[in-house]
Amino acid sequence: MIEIQHPILNLILGSFIIAAGAIILYRSQKKFLGVSGLLKKLHQLDQLVFFAGMIMASLLFKNITGIEISFSQETVIYIFSGLIVGIGAALANGCTSGHGIVGLGRVNPRSFIAIGLMFGTAILMGVFNA
Amino acid sequence: MLKKMSNFFISGFIFSLGLNVAQVNNPETIFGFIKLQNPIQMDLLIVFGSAVLFSFLGFKYLTQIHHEAKSTLVNKKFILGSILFGAGWGISGLCPGTAISAIANLDLNLLVFILSMMVGILLTDYFFNKECS
């Protein structure tokens, strides 16, 4: 059976806002929104400002809603998984934003391969850890 | 210059806000789906699917994108990278965008993940020295 944790309106509204962020960046700057790609060039002011925006939204959302998120696994898990997420995104030239939201949205064939593999492996890990 | 900066800021702000509103920056949202335990929680799939659909419509009708070149290169590095990424995502429930959009929680584990991810990205980029797409 299937179920939904959060109100469907939040999910749809959230996904609309996510896509809007990507469309705004492309329309205004002809730049594809990919978080792992943008992280490579943090020494450039525009990339830095992008992340300032991301952090600002995070602070604002948490202060208004009071929603807390916990990351309760062993710290070593976060060290290891962070490392392979970073290496993987750099090798694949994109992550769930660049290949997912943007790549699939503009129907880039290789993004379908990347996202298929990413979801497939994540599900394998999830089922294995379940 | 100021216009450019505000475009980048607004885009980052909106993107991150969306991840928060949809609650996909909570690892439980990811685990609820990828563990495939009964009942399977569909939040991640709904958010991802509809974000891709909105993005598709946005790119199609709000931008002139059809002349943009698409990289079609799929090699071993690309495959291996996607698999490594998926494994890390599946273990932690975190990916680059969602991790940063949750930073207000000031959780040590989250900060460790982000730092570790940065090291992974920069080291790989340094050793493979590729252009990014």
Side-chain angles (χ1 to χ4, degrees):
Chain A
M1 281 304 287
I2 56 173
E3 65 170 27
I4 304 175
Q5 279 306 84
H6 302 286
I8 185 87
L9 197 65
N10 290 24
L11 303 181
I12 303 293
L13 180 68
S15 67
F16 180 83
I17 302 173
I18 293 168
I23 298 298
I24 287 170
L25 191 61
Y26 187 79
R27 260 194 79 110
S28 63
Q29 297 297 324
K30 285 276 174 285
K31 190 144 184 71
F32 292 123
L33 191 158
V35 173
S36 60
L38 290 167
L39 277 174
K40 286 179 190 170
K41 298 185 198 140
L42 274 187
H43 54 280
Q44 290 175 8
L45 190 59
D46 39 10
Q47 263 83 336
L48 212 56
V49 169
F50 177 88
F51 288 106
M54 280 197 73
I55 292 168
M56 195 67 87
S58 178
L59 291 167
L60 199 73
F61 185 84
K62 176 147 186 293
N63 277 296
I64 290 174
T65 65
I67 294 175
E68 300 242 359
I69 306 173
S70 63
F71 305 88
S72 49
Q73 303 184 69
E74 300 283 337
T75 299
V76 65
I77 300 263
Y78 293 96
I79 297 175
F80 173 72
S81 58
L83 203 59
I84 61 174
V85 161
I87 295 171
L91 289 178
N93 256 15
C95 56
T96 14
S97 52
H99 279 309
I101 310 303
V102 172
L104 299 187
R106 67 187 192 109
V107 200
N108 190 356
R110 75 170 189 160
S111 292
F112 285 88
I113 298 174
I115 290 300
L117 287 169
M118 288 169 179
F119 263 91
T121 319
I123 287 171
L124 275 180
M125 284 298 165
V127 170
F128 183 74
N129 283 329
Chain B
M1 180 68 176
L2 195 65
K3 177 88 181 138
K4 187 182 179 197
M5 289 301 117
S6 64
N7 287 336
F8 271 91
F9 183 87
I10 289 167
S11 165
F13 184 91
I14 290 180
F15 181 69
S16 170
L17 183 68
L19 294 172
N20 275 287
V21 170
Q23 294 283 295
V24 281
N25 57 357
N26 188 336
E28 291 309 318
T29 304
I30 312 302
F31 294 140
F33 176 68
I34 65 170
K35 289 190 174 178
L36 299 182
Q37 279 175 327
N38 194 23
I40 302 173
Q41 288 160 18
M42 300 300 284
D43 298 48
L44 172 66
L45 221 52
I46 292 169
V47 172
F48 193 79
S50 70
V52 168
L53 182 66
F54 286 129
S55 164
F56 172 75
L57 295 173
F59 275 119
K60 193 170 164 72
Y61 295 110
L62 300 176
T63 72
Q64 282 80 45
I65 197 168
H66 25 282
H67 303 301
E68 202 79 36
K70 290 170 183 169
S71 172
T72 53
L73 181 70
V74 175
N75 55 14
K76 278 183 200 157
K77 201 170 72 179
F78 185 86
I79 305 277
L80 176 69
S82 302
I83 290 172
L84 277 178
F85 180 94
W89 185 33
I91 293 169
S92 61
L94 287 166
C95 63
T98 61
I100 294 169
S101 76
I103 204 162
N105 288 278
L106 288 178
D107 186 292
L108 185 65
N109 284 334
L110 175 66
L111 299 178
V112 160
F113 177 90
I114 293 173
L115 202 68
S116 195
M117 176 180 83
M118 296 281 302
V119 170
I121 290 175
L122 295 176
L123 277 183
T124 309
D125 200 43
Y126 178 78
F127 283 112
F128 290 89
N129 197 25
K130 336 168 256 74
E131 82 290 5
C132 50
S133 64

